[in-house]
Amino acid sequence: MSMLSGRSLSSWLAVLLISSASCATVAPPQDLSPDPRPVTTRATLQLGQKELADGRFVGLAFSGGGSRAAVFGAAVMKELDRLGVLQQVDVLSAVSGGALPAASYALEGYRDFSFQNGFVEQIGRDIQGAVAGPWYLAPHNLLRYALTDRIPSEQVIQALDERLFRGATFADLNPAKPILLLNSTDALTGDPLIISDEQFAQLGVPLAPFSIARAVYMSAAYPGVLEPLAISSGESGHNGAASPPVLAYDGGAADNLGIRTLVQVVEEALSERPMADRFPQGCLVISIDATGRQKNEARKPLSAAAALLRGHRRNVLELAGIPAARQDMAMLGTFRVGQDGTGGTCRFWHVALRQLPDSDPLGDRVTHIKTNLGLSADDQAALIAAAARLVAKGREEMNRTAGWAGFISTEPVLRSHP
């Protein structure tokens, strides 16, 4: 491994999806000529009749955090399903590792995707092992990457596709499942780039044939570890020259919890009709937060990126109604949406690993799981146990908190398939 610029393969992969993600060398741009016929997918910022029919908005946000976030997110989904909450979800908003369970659930029925059969085990598949497979050991590839610290994007995308998404595109999203919004960042402007029909139309790129694995990579491409992903419409710009591609990387740069996108969807829905008419049965945002804790016994200064992620998390949770001093304790909050006269209040349920303290052996374990692309069976079991405990605690708090009783079903739903 001395050819790898002094960095071992394992250390490369250990940072592949840190608290919000992963990144790699620039993959060849997708040359997707725009189709003159508009094709809509289930990745849209507009709520349709399906989402508006019950008069209630329920959004589910998934944080980044590699396989820790992926498995924890999948396990929380199973608990929400038992409570009858998951069936009410209208929109999934995910960042980085959280994109794996969100996209997989939205693909229900595609090939072997089945939420009721082995869903958590499927999400827990070892992506890291696939990235570090024989491809890396081929002599021409060792030489190719001997002088770089970056992991090649095309190999990560290939591993995601082979181990999980199996060639799925946005056209394969299940219309009976919630809207899927994966979050990325425009690397040239720093603006959020939500992978949606609306924003891809602005880029001149049709979303329907776009690879799910590629979109997940876009959401997870952590700057400095993996290169941004280039997206090209194939159109000509000035003087007949090809239009420059958009570069996209990690969606955690603006919000590693995925909450802001759900608020944007609600605000858009309230731009036409007031809350009392649009969502007379209420508004709920659920955050699955896999943010871990870092042991810093050597008291080394945090990197600027790590400090920014922490600051953004604190600010987003404050906007969602959880004060900074209680963000690792409080599970329930409220926040305002919409304009005066037409807006209203959304409820917020924060399901976070950090709500389990270090003094709790389970909390000490799950909050210090490294952000790799593959986890041991014991780590996965610990995350599943944490999900069950935290969701049960949230249900108990709802039952004794004014205004929450009856807002959502708090009794387990019996199913033929566990």
Side-chain angles (χ1 to χ4, degrees), residues 27 49 79 125 131 182 193 197 201-202 249 255 307 316 410:
Q49 184 58 39
E79 296 301 318
R125 289 173 180 171
V131 174
L182 303 183
L193 198 170
D197 288 330
Q202 294 176 13
Y249 60 36
D255 174 13
V316 169
T410 55

Side-chain angles (χ1 to χ4, degrees), residues 165-183:
F165 296 115
R166 310 288 182 82
T169 69
F170 280 83
D172 296 310
L173 295 176
N174 189 332
K177 292 301 178 183
I179 290 169
L180 174 69
L181 296 173
L182 303 183
N183 297 282

Side-chain angles (χ1 to χ4, degrees), residues 279-328:
F279 305 122
Q281 301 302 314
C283 168
L284 172 66
V285 170
I286 305 170
S287 170
I288 304 177
D289 182 358
T291 304
R293 293 189 181 93
Q294 292 182 336
K295 291 183 178 179
N296 192 4
E297 297 170 354
R299 297 181 59 79
K300 293 182 178 179
L302 293 175
S303 68
L308 285 171
L309 283 174
R310 291 190 179 193
H312 288 160
R313 176 180 182 266
R314 180 173 59 252
N315 293 339
V316 169
L317 290 176
E318 284 184 325
L319 290 174
I322 307 293
R326 292 187 51 77
Q327 287 177 357
D328 291 342

Side-chain angles (χ1 to χ4, degrees), residues 168-321:
T169 69
F170 280 83
D172 296 310
L173 295 176
N174 189 332
K177 292 301 178 183
I179 290 169
L180 174 69
L181 296 173
L182 303 183
N183 297 282
S184 185
T185 301
D186 185 327
L188 299 177
T189 66
D191 294 330
L193 198 170
I194 303 170
I195 303 174
S196 63
D197 288 330
E198 293 83 359
Q199 294 208 356
F200 265 51
Q202 294 176 13
L203 300 176
V205 177
L207 185 59
F210 199 80
S211 158
I212 295 288
R214 189 169 294 271
V216 170
Y217 177 86
M218 284 172 59
S219 179
Y222 191 79
V225 181
L226 302 177
E227 294 290 341
L229 186 70
I231 310 170
S232 175
S233 67
E235 292 183 321
S236 297
H238 296 296
N239 302 320
S243 297
V246 170
L247 301 180
Y249 60 36
D250 177 16
D255 174 13
N256 195 40
L257 300 180
I259 294 170
R260 289 184 185 274
T261 294
L262 295 178
V263 175
Q264 179 178 338
V265 170
V266 173
E267 296 275 4
E268 178 66 26
L270 297 181
S271 67
E272 299 177 356
R273 295 177 61 183
M275 174 76 95
D277 292 342
R278 184 66 88 188
F279 305 122
Q281 301 302 314
C283 168
L284 172 66
V285 170
I286 305 170
S287 170
I288 304 177
D289 182 358
T291 304
R293 293 189 181 93
Q294 292 182 336
K295 291 183 178 179
N296 192 4
E297 297 170 354
R299 297 181 59 79
K300 293 182 178 179
L302 293 175
S303 68
L308 285 171
L309 283 174
R310 291 190 179 193
H312 288 160
R313 176 180 182 266
R314 180 173 59 252
N315 293 339
V316 169
L317 290 176
E318 284 184 325
L319 290 174

